Amino acid sequence: MNIQTPAPQALTFADYKSSLKPVWCPGCGDFSVLSAITKALATLQLPREDVALVSGIGCSSRIPAYTSVYGFHSVHGRALPVATGLKSARPDLTVLVAGGDGDGFSIGGNHFLHACRRNVDLTYIVMDNSVYGMTKGQASPTTEGDWTGSKLTPEGPGVAEFQPLEIALSAGANYIARGFSGKPNELTKLICDAVEHPGFSLVHVLSPCVTFRPEQREYKTMVHDGFGGAAFDEGTPDRREAFRRLMDDDGYSCGVLFKGNTPAFKPQTDAPSTIEEIQGDFIL
């Protein structure tokens, strides 16, 4: 008797979602980012047990709970070192990191710099709304210096905005792109591209906070494709050219900025030691 094993069914984006219902405010851009992440995983057909999603603290950092892959909800600003350690110990895993502008660029700013320069093969998806949404609307590192929407800074924070793409390019990130939550299909494409590109990948997402920054609803009329006149997916491997394109960026350019060719960092690994060998190292 010829018994054939049926071919496994392809996973859909719904297979990568958990049964938990997101608690974000209605209209939050993070809903679309969650959708783009699950669609990207379905597009790549990655086994759920081979994917890990790490986050920090904040509205956007809730994302691991809303997926069915392995998740780790770390402490504020520490998602990148956790993800770096995980990828170094388990290079077979696809590691994604999710966070916001406050978590990633303020308390986590130093970790961001070193994650870029270490160039470990992971993908960092930052949902940037230029405000601390979970703690009720304070100015964040990417908030405009003259924004007067917070009672804590009624005359505006008065400091220069953190520039994520410029910092990432300077620090050595191997893939840099920006997307908009209002265009989830384009964002899905960027996430797929970032996951498949070796080394540290930054996907900077304009994700409006309609509760504390209702003016960000206008993002949909402000975003446009391409950096410096390039096409949406025309990322350059030339760092100098990428900087030139950033000089013409108004903060609303979407697409791929930079695709580097630096090999991803891989820690040197020795053959496993026995317990006796490890104990012997501590015997004088």
Side-chain angles (χ1 to χ4, degrees):
M1 181 181 296
N2 185 15
I3 301 177
Q4 295 183 345
T5 303
Q9 287 188 328
L11 295 170
T12 69
F13 75 94
D15 293 316
Y16 293 95
K17 290 186 176 182
S18 74
S19 59
L20 296 179
K21 183 179 180 181
V23 295
W24 297 312
C25 301
C28 175
D30 294 356
F31 283 102
S32 293
V33 180
L34 171 62
S35 177
I37 290 173
T38 56
K39 287 181 179 178
L41 295 175
T43 299
L44 297 172
Q45 284 295 291
L46 296 173
R48 286 173 291 182
E49 65 273 16
D50 291 343
V51 179
L53 183 53
V54 182
S55 72
I57 296 296
C59 296
S60 54
S61 292
R62 299 176 183 271
I63 277 187
Y66 304 142
T67 69
S68 62
V69 301
Y70 282 111
F72 190 95
H73 198 177
S74 72
V75 295
H76 203 184
R78 307 299 186 250
L80 284 173
V82 170
T84 298
L86 175 60
K87 182 64 179 183
S88 299
R90 288 289 306 277
D92 56 305
L93 295 178
T94 296
V95 179
L96 285 74
V97 188
D101 45 297
D103 181 73
F105 305 141
S106 181
I107 189 171
N110 199 46
H111 292 304
F112 175 62
L113 293 176
H114 294 292
C116 289
R117 76 177 185 87
R118 288 190 182 106
N119 198 33
V120 172
D121 188 18
L122 54 85
T123 300
Y124 188 27
I125 303 166
V126 182
M127 285 144 273
D128 190 350
N129 52 26
S130 300
V131 74
Y132 283 101
M134 195 172 73
T135 51
K136 311 307 179 188
Q138 301 86 357
S140 83
T142 58
T143 301
E144 306 90 321
D146 59 354
W147 182 66
T148 58
S150 171
K151 293 181 180 179
L152 290 181
T153 51
E155 297 180 358
V159 295
E161 302 164 45
F162 188 92
Q163 301 294 333
L165 275 61
E166 292 182 22
I167 298 297
L169 188 59
S170 298
N174 212 35
Y175 178 98
I176 302 170
R178 183 190 287 134
F180 172 45
S181 62
K183 294 185 175 182
N185 291 334
E186 290 185 354
L187 183 56
T188 298
K189 182 179 179 180
L190 292 178
I191 294 173
C192 288
D193 199 27
V195 170
E196 293 187 313
H197 194 81
F200 182 85
S201 297
L202 170 67
V203 180
H204 178 238
V205 185
L206 300 174
S207 184
C209 175
V210 297
T211 299
F212 296 107
R213 299 293 306 264
E215 69 274 16
Q216 291 177 346
R217 295 178 186 272
E218 297 304 313
Y219 277 179
K220 61 181 180 293
T221 65
M222 301 165 71
V223 298
H224 54 89
D225 289 346
F227 289 86
F232 176 83
D233 56 358
E234 191 182 331
T236 176
D238 187 316
R239 193 175 298 273
R240 182 188 294 270
E241 171 61 18
F243 272 116
R244 188 198 66 77
R245 292 181 183 182
L246 276 180
M247 292 303 98
D248 297 327
D249 177 38
D250 59 359
Y252 301 100
S253 305
C254 291
V256 183
L257 171 69
F258 178 71
K259 279 188 173 184
N261 49 24
T262 304
F265 172 77
K266 295 181 180 179
Q268 295 182 351
T269 55
D270 297 325
S273 300
T274 65
I275 295 298
E276 291 75 17
E277 290 172 335
I278 295 173
Q279 291 174 336
D281 291 339
F282 297 93
I283 297 175
L284 298 179

PDB file of all heavy atoms in Angstrom, residues 144 147 209-210 212-219 222:
ATOM      1  N   GLU A 144       9.739  66.905  18.971  1.00  0.00           N
ATOM      2  CA  GLU A 144      10.197  68.201  18.490  1.00  0.00           C
ATOM      3  C   GLU A 144      10.483  69.143  19.664  1.00  0.00           C
ATOM      4  O   GLU A 144       9.775  69.140  20.659  1.00  0.00           O
ATOM      5  CB  GLU A 144       9.144  68.844  17.577  1.00  0.00           C
ATOM      6  CG  GLU A 144       8.688  67.965  16.424  1.00  0.00           C
ATOM      7  CD  GLU A 144       7.490  67.089  16.765  1.00  0.00           C
ATOM      8  OE1 GLU A 144       7.425  66.564  17.899  1.00  0.00           O
ATOM      9  OE2 GLU A 144       6.620  66.920  15.896  1.00  0.00           O
ATOM     10  N   TRP A 147       7.473  71.301  20.836  1.00  0.00           N
ATOM     11  CA  TRP A 147       6.159  70.688  21.090  1.00  0.00           C
ATOM     12  C   TRP A 147       5.684  71.053  22.489  1.00  0.00           C
ATOM     13  O   TRP A 147       6.367  70.787  23.493  1.00  0.00           O
ATOM     14  CB  TRP A 147       6.248  69.161  20.953  1.00  0.00           C
ATOM     15  CG  TRP A 147       4.939  68.461  21.159  1.00  0.00           C
ATOM     16  CD1 TRP A 147       3.837  68.537  20.374  1.00  0.00           C
ATOM     17  CD2 TRP A 147       4.603  67.584  22.238  1.00  0.00           C
ATOM     18  NE1 TRP A 147       2.828  67.750  20.876  1.00  0.00           N
ATOM     19  CE2 TRP A 147       3.272  67.148  22.024  1.00  0.00           C
ATOM     20  CE3 TRP A 147       5.302  67.116  23.351  1.00  0.00           C
ATOM     21  CZ2 TRP A 147       2.615  66.276  22.888  1.00  0.00           C
ATOM     22  CZ3 TRP A 147       4.647  66.241  24.217  1.00  0.00           C
ATOM     23  CH2 TRP A 147       3.325  65.827  23.984  1.00  0.00           C
ATOM     24  N   CYS A 209       0.529  58.116  17.761  1.00  0.00           N
ATOM     25  CA  CYS A 209      -0.203  58.013  19.034  1.00  0.00           C
ATOM     26  C   CYS A 209      -1.363  58.997  18.952  1.00  0.00           C
ATOM     27  O   CYS A 209      -1.184  60.199  19.189  1.00  0.00           O
ATOM     28  CB  CYS A 209       0.709  58.361  20.211  1.00  0.00           C
ATOM     29  SG  CYS A 209      -0.149  58.405  21.812  1.00  0.00           S
ATOM     30  N   VAL A 210      -2.530  58.509  18.596  1.00  0.00           N
ATOM     31  CA  VAL A 210      -3.660  59.401  18.359  1.00  0.00           C
ATOM     32  C   VAL A 210      -4.235  59.959  19.653  1.00  0.00           C
ATOM     33  O   VAL A 210      -5.031  60.905  19.630  1.00  0.00           O
ATOM     34  CB  VAL A 210      -4.767  58.679  17.561  1.00  0.00           C
ATOM     35  CG1 VAL A 210      -4.255  58.271  16.185  1.00  0.00           C
ATOM     36  CG2 VAL A 210      -5.279  57.455  18.320  1.00  0.00           C
ATOM     37  N   PHE A 212      -2.261  61.062  22.553  1.00  0.00           N
ATOM     38  CA  PHE A 212      -1.475  62.187  23.061  1.00  0.00           C
ATOM     39  C   PHE A 212      -0.843  63.035  21.966  1.00  0.00           C
ATOM     40  O   PHE A 212      -0.353  64.126  22.249  1.00  0.00           O
ATOM     41  CB  PHE A 212      -0.395  61.664  24.016  1.00  0.00           C
ATOM     42  CG  PHE A 212      -0.958  61.026  25.245  1.00  0.00           C
ATOM     43  CD1 PHE A 212      -0.928  59.649  25.405  1.00  0.00           C
ATOM     44  CD2 PHE A 212      -1.559  61.784  26.232  1.00  0.00           C
ATOM     45  CE1 PHE A 212      -1.463  59.048  26.533  1.00  0.00           C
ATOM     46  CE2 PHE A 212      -2.095  61.203  27.367  1.00  0.00           C
ATOM     47  CZ  PHE A 212      -2.051  59.829  27.520  1.00  0.00           C
ATOM     48  N   ARG A 213      -0.834  62.535  20.729  1.00  0.00           N
ATOM     49  CA  ARG A 213      -0.339  63.315  19.590  1.00  0.00           C
ATOM     50  C   ARG A 213      -1.356  63.209  18.452  1.00  0.00           C
ATOM     51  O   ARG A 213      -1.046  62.685  17.373  1.00  0.00           O
ATOM     52  CB  ARG A 213       1.032  62.808  19.129  1.00  0.00           C
ATOM     53  CG  ARG A 213       2.165  62.868  20.146  1.00  0.00           C
ATOM     54  CD  ARG A 213       2.560  64.293  20.515  1.00  0.00           C
ATOM     55  NE  ARG A 213       2.880  65.121  19.376  1.00  0.00           N
ATOM     56  CZ  ARG A 213       4.126  65.331  18.914  1.00  0.00           C
ATOM     57  NH1 ARG A 213       5.150  64.749  19.501  1.00  0.00           N
ATOM     58  NH2 ARG A 213       4.330  66.149  17.900  1.00  0.00           N
ATOM     59  N   PRO A 214      -2.602  63.696  18.662  1.00  0.00           N
ATOM     60  CA  PRO A 214      -3.634  63.534  17.619  1.00  0.00           C
ATOM     61  C   PRO A 214      -3.248  64.173  16.294  1.00  0.00           C
ATOM     62  O   PRO A 214      -3.748  63.766  15.240  1.00  0.00           O
ATOM     63  CB  PRO A 214      -4.870  64.207  18.232  1.00  0.00           C
ATOM     64  CG  PRO A 214      -4.332  65.125  19.289  1.00  0.00           C
ATOM     65  CD  PRO A 214      -3.117  64.444  19.824  1.00  0.00           C
ATOM     66  N   GLU A 215      -2.336  65.141  16.326  1.00  0.00           N
ATOM     67  CA  GLU A 215      -1.918  65.775  15.075  1.00  0.00           C
ATOM     68  C   GLU A 215      -1.180  64.801  14.168  1.00  0.00           C
ATOM     69  O   GLU A 215      -1.039  65.042  12.959  1.00  0.00           O
ATOM     70  CB  GLU A 215      -1.029  66.987  15.378  1.00  0.00           C
ATOM     71  CG  GLU A 215       0.339  66.690  15.965  1.00  0.00           C
ATOM     72  CD  GLU A 215       0.351  66.535  17.481  1.00  0.00           C
ATOM     73  OE1 GLU A 215      -0.745  66.345  18.069  1.00  0.00           O
ATOM     74  OE2 GLU A 215       1.440  66.583  18.071  1.00  0.00           O
ATOM     75  N   GLN A 216      -0.724  63.673  14.738  1.00  0.00           N
ATOM     76  CA  GLN A 216      -0.008  62.686  13.926  1.00  0.00           C
ATOM     77  C   GLN A 216      -0.930  61.935  12.975  1.00  0.00           C
ATOM     78  O   GLN A 216      -0.442  61.180  12.122  1.00  0.00           O
ATOM     79  CB  GLN A 216       0.734  61.713  14.835  1.00  0.00           C
ATOM     80  CG  GLN A 216       1.893  62.346  15.584  1.00  0.00           C
ATOM     81  CD  GLN A 216       2.581  61.397  16.542  1.00  0.00           C
ATOM     82  OE1 GLN A 216       2.057  60.322  16.855  1.00  0.00           O
ATOM     83  NE2 GLN A 216       3.741  61.784  17.025  1.00  0.00           N
ATOM     84  N   ARG A 217      -2.218  62.156  13.085  1.00  0.00           N
ATOM     85  CA  ARG A 217      -3.132  61.590  12.089  1.00  0.00           C
ATOM     86  C   ARG A 217      -2.786  62.092  10.683  1.00  0.00           C
ATOM     87  O   ARG A 217      -3.116  61.458   9.679  1.00  0.00           O
ATOM     88  CB  ARG A 217      -4.584  61.958  12.412  1.00  0.00           C
ATOM     89  CG  ARG A 217      -5.120  61.366  13.706  1.00  0.00           C
ATOM     90  CD  ARG A 217      -6.541  61.827  13.962  1.00  0.00           C
ATOM     91  NE  ARG A 217      -7.052  61.411  15.252  1.00  0.00           N
ATOM     92  CZ  ARG A 217      -7.659  60.264  15.506  1.00  0.00           C
ATOM     93  NH1 ARG A 217      -7.841  59.409  14.513  1.00  0.00           N
ATOM     94  NH2 ARG A 217      -8.093  59.970  16.708  1.00  0.00           N
ATOM     95  N   GLU A 218      -2.114  63.238  10.635  1.00  0.00           N
ATOM     96  CA  GLU A 218      -1.757  63.829   9.352  1.00  0.00           C
ATOM     97  C   GLU A 218      -0.545  63.150   8.706  1.00  0.00           C
ATOM     98  O   GLU A 218      -0.160  63.511   7.592  1.00  0.00           O
ATOM     99  CB  GLU A 218      -1.483  65.325   9.527  1.00  0.00           C
ATOM    100  CG  GLU A 218      -2.688  66.133   9.984  1.00  0.00           C
ATOM    101  CD  GLU A 218      -3.879  65.968   9.049  1.00  0.00           C
ATOM    102  OE1 GLU A 218      -3.681  66.069   7.816  1.00  0.00           O
ATOM    103  OE2 GLU A 218      -4.991  65.718   9.548  1.00  0.00           O
ATOM    104  N   TYR A 219       0.060  62.196   9.417  1.00  0.00           N
ATOM    105  CA  TYR A 219       1.193  61.481   8.823  1.00  0.00           C
ATOM    106  C   TYR A 219       0.840  60.926   7.450  1.00  0.00           C
ATOM    107  O   TYR A 219       1.684  60.885   6.555  1.00  0.00           O
ATOM    108  CB  TYR A 219       1.630  60.323   9.731  1.00  0.00           C
ATOM    109  CG  TYR A 219       2.545  60.704  10.866  1.00  0.00           C
ATOM    110  CD1 TYR A 219       2.991  59.735  11.774  1.00  0.00           C
ATOM    111  CD2 TYR A 219       2.985  62.005  11.058  1.00  0.00           C
ATOM    112  CE1 TYR A 219       3.843  60.055  12.829  1.00  0.00           C
ATOM    113  CE2 TYR A 219       3.828  62.335  12.109  1.00  0.00           C
ATOM    114  CZ  TYR A 219       4.254  61.351  12.987  1.00  0.00           C
ATOM    115  OH  TYR A 219       5.091  61.665  14.019  1.00  0.00           O
ATOM    116  N   MET A 222       1.720  63.141   4.826  1.00  0.00           N
ATOM    117  CA  MET A 222       3.080  63.668   4.878  1.00  0.00           C
ATOM    118  C   MET A 222       4.134  62.657   4.435  1.00  0.00           C
ATOM    119  O   MET A 222       5.204  63.040   3.951  1.00  0.00           O
ATOM    120  CB  MET A 222       3.391  64.159   6.296  1.00  0.00           C
ATOM    121  CG  MET A 222       2.441  65.256   6.769  1.00  0.00           C
ATOM    122  SD  MET A 222       2.506  65.553   8.556  1.00  0.00           S
ATOM    123  CE  MET A 222       4.105  66.336   8.702  1.00  0.00           C
TER     124      MET A 222
END
